[in-house]
Amino acid sequence: MDLRRAAAIVGVYEHPTRYAPDKSEQLIIAESIIGALNDAGLEKKDVDALFVAAMPPGITGYGLCDYLNLYPRWVDSTNVGGGSFEFHLSHALTAIAAGRIQCAVIAYGSTARSGGVAVGTGGATRWGQARIAPVPDSFEDIYGTTTVGLYAMVAQRHMHEYGTKPEQLAEIAVTMRYHASMNPHAMYRDPITVEDVLTSRMISSPLHLLDCCVISDGGGAVVVASPSLARSAKKKPVWVLGVGESIAHQGGGWRDLMEMAAYQSAPQAFRMAGVTHQDVDMCMIYDSFTITVLMTFENLGFCKRGEGGAFVSGGRLRIDGEMPTNPDGGGLSSNHPGMRGIFLLIEATKQLRGDYAGTPRQVHARRNRSEPPSIALCHGTGGALGSRHSGGTVILGRD
Amino acid sequence: MTTAPQQYKKLLPAISGETRPFWEACKRGELLIQRCAKCGKYQFYPRGFCSHCWAAEPPQWVKASGKGKVYTFTITYQNRSPGYAEEVPYVLALVELEEGVRMFTNIVDCKPQDVHIGMPVEVVFRKATEEVTIPYFRPAKP
Ligand SMILES: [Zn+2]
């Protein structure tokens, strides 16, 4: 079955909050879904599928259906960490192509910041009471793993094998902050320099504070529709061209740490979409840490293994560069409510639709600088590179 | 009579049937890894089956040399969990054993700044409680 253009994103909504101490996660999810349906010109009655992932164990498909007072015919609570929403889009595409559903809502909400969740440095107790399992936690968490630490070990190895420099990682953070300066909702908007990154506090060597994403509250939603429904929606459809999913793990103790899940998910997505890397006008790359971005570009195949440092240098990732990346400011500066994958889909959709036309935040097509981008690639990562993680690649395109 | 309050504040491993031989060996000062009789491959962390070939026969426990090299590491300066927060900065590392498999550990008995990738290390055991002894690695003695 040719899944290209079998479904389209017809509505998106990014919750503007970065701090919402008086809202529940569920309310942020509900407000996001309502916002995305408004964007699409669709209503509650049109929704026949719900896809949700969240950090607290209580928020799953059935609990949220109760809260939303919704009776969908398809529910998917796939949770593979922060990149879950790229998996959701992949699953929604398949369900729509099979004719089981017409309209899916993918949603996320979190109060990680107002709840004081130490996402990156809380160690095993970051979600409250530590629950240690015989395997694998008993062979990892007892040594004081943190999310930052697990990524930092991979960064250290990358530097050792390829000579990747802290300055190259820092440039990613600087670029994201530059983009955030154009986003009125971004959590941090004041420009930073490479020097600022390198002199910021070391959290887990070689990653400094400014190599790490922010912790915010927030949420968002995406409406995915069948082609016939998409044609009747209010906004121009953004077509799902290709999707790919993968998991990378320790392989019984033998895994090459430099190989990400993206190495397997990207070829799936490119093959399905029938496009090449040269066709991609912009990227939304999950930026939990600067090293995540650098290695994702390598594993997606935009450059060779070990060349990521050079790839992200020289302003290539800036809005006005060769591969505009995370024009919203990313998790490093705009928002990161624990899981961030939904925002990759939201920003890519807005950019493809030309929602920011006439402002410096609008990305342009590679072939025609007076037009919005034609093709965007989103790659969500969930979990931790140093232990096990998920990778979901999505390629989107406009008419 | 009440027992003394637990002095060990860090996380203790949960021990199950499939991992008990590993932790029992630690108490004897031995590092065990697993090798599959069918496919011949080593695996770590231990499991009740061979994760490589899913053989019907469970893998064999074999004594590792306890020597290896630092594959990668990080000096952790911030961890909000009790027990670890007090110990920063500490070295979280992946050590590649001579047998090839890698395991998480802490590098101890040296300054964090002296740790580097490729550094030869050897296992050292430290008693956490009466029931649990945990393997760490320290710079190898020449
Ligand atoms: Zn085997």
Side-chain angles (χ1 to χ4, degrees), chain A residues 139 143 153 157 250 253-254 257, chain B residues 31 33 44 64-74 91-108 115-124 135-139:
Chain A
F139 296 88
Y143 297 111
M153 286 199 300
R157 184 72 198 182
Q250 299 177 53
W254 295 92
L257 273 194
Chain B
L31 183 69
I33 57 174
F44 194 86
S65 75
K67 295 189 183 304
K69 285 178 177 168
V70 174
Y71 176 74
T72 191
F73 72 100
T74 180
V91 178
L92 171 69
L94 273 172
V95 162
E96 186 168 295
L97 301 178
E98 276 185 343
E99 292 80 7
V101 288
R102 298 181 198 130
M103 61 182 285
F104 280 89
T105 192
N106 297 131
I107 307 298
V108 298
V115 175
H116 59 269
I117 290 176
M119 184 169 96
V121 289
E122 62 189 16
V123 71
V124 54
Y136 299 93
F137 284 78
R138 66 181 177 203

Side-chain angles (χ1 to χ4, degrees), chain A residues 40-307:
Chain A
L42 297 172
E43 297 174 32
K44 182 188 178 193
K45 66 174 173 51
D46 297 312
V47 177
D48 54 15
L50 178 69
F51 293 74
V52 64
M55 290 190 301
I59 298 181
T60 58
Y62 64 85
L64 203 62
C65 286
D66 177 342
Y67 182 78
L68 296 167
N69 193 8
L70 187 71
Y71 293 94
R73 67 173 72 213
W74 190 293
V75 178
D76 183 335
S77 311
T78 295
N79 191 332
V80 286
S84 296
F85 313 94
E86 282 67 36
F87 284 63
H88 291 170
L89 185 65
S90 168
H91 301 174
L93 171 73
T94 305
I96 289 170
R100 297 278 306 275
I101 59 170
Q102 291 281 316
C103 178
V105 169
I106 304 171
Y108 178 69
S110 152
T111 53
R113 181 180 172 203
S114 53
V117 180
V119 178
T121 59
T125 58
R126 60 192 171 278
W127 311 126
Q129 189 66 36
R131 286 171 300 143
I132 194 152
V135 290
D137 300 357
S138 292
F139 296 88
E140 300 173 9
D141 289 353
I142 61 166
Y143 297 111
T145 57
T146 60
T147 304
V148 189
L150 292 168
Y151 280 82
M153 286 199 300
V154 178
Q156 191 89 262
R157 184 72 198 182
H158 201 278
M159 289 173 164
H160 173 79
E161 283 194 32
Y162 303 117
T164 306
K165 296 189 170 49
E167 290 79 5
Q168 294 171 321
L169 290 175
E171 186 173 335
I172 298 168
V174 170
T175 302
M176 295 313 122
R177 184 62 64 86
Y178 167 67
H179 293 168
S181 73
M182 295 181 273
N183 178 355
H185 300 302
M187 196 159 152
Y188 296 108
R189 299 169 57 199
D190 292 335
I192 53 171
T193 64
V194 167
E195 183 72 10
D196 290 335
V197 180
L198 299 183
T199 56
S200 65
R201 191 159 55 86
M202 194 71 92
I203 303 294
S204 200
S205 67
L207 298 180
H208 308 80
L209 178 67
L210 292 179
D211 285 299
C212 306
C213 64
V214 306
I215 300 173
S216 68
D217 294 344
V222 171
V223 182
V224 192
S226 65
S228 59
L229 186 60
R231 295 292 180 196
S232 69
K234 195 163 76 181
K235 295 279 169 65
K236 286 180 280 187
V238 165
W239 298 102
V240 183
L241 303 182
V243 292
E245 305 178 24
S246 186
I247 304 290
H249 51 73
Q250 299 177 53
W254 295 92
R255 180 167 74 90
D256 174 4
L257 273 194
M258 300 296 101
E259 184 170 310
M260 288 176 70
Y263 187 69
Q264 290 184 52
S265 62
Q268 297 170 29
F270 276 106
R271 203 176 308 121
M272 187 189 295
V275 302
T276 68
H277 293 79
Q278 283 69 41
D279 297 320
V280 176
D281 291 308
M282 64 164 288
C283 285
M284 292 298 300
I285 305 293
Y286 202 102
D287 57 341
S288 43
F289 302 94
T290 50
I291 187 66
T292 321
V293 178
L294 188 151
M295 285 182 54
T296 301
F297 274 115
E298 293 180 357
N299 281 273
L300 287 171
F302 282 97
C303 60
K304 288 206 182 82
R305 196 84 58 91
E307 291 178 353

Side-chain angles (χ1 to χ4, degrees), chain B residues 35-41 49-55 57 59:
Chain B
R35 186 172 180 276
C36 175
K38 188 179 175 197
C39 74
K41 288 183 182 161
F49 67 103
C50 171
S51 67
H52 298 297
C53 75
W54 293 359
E57 294 302 310

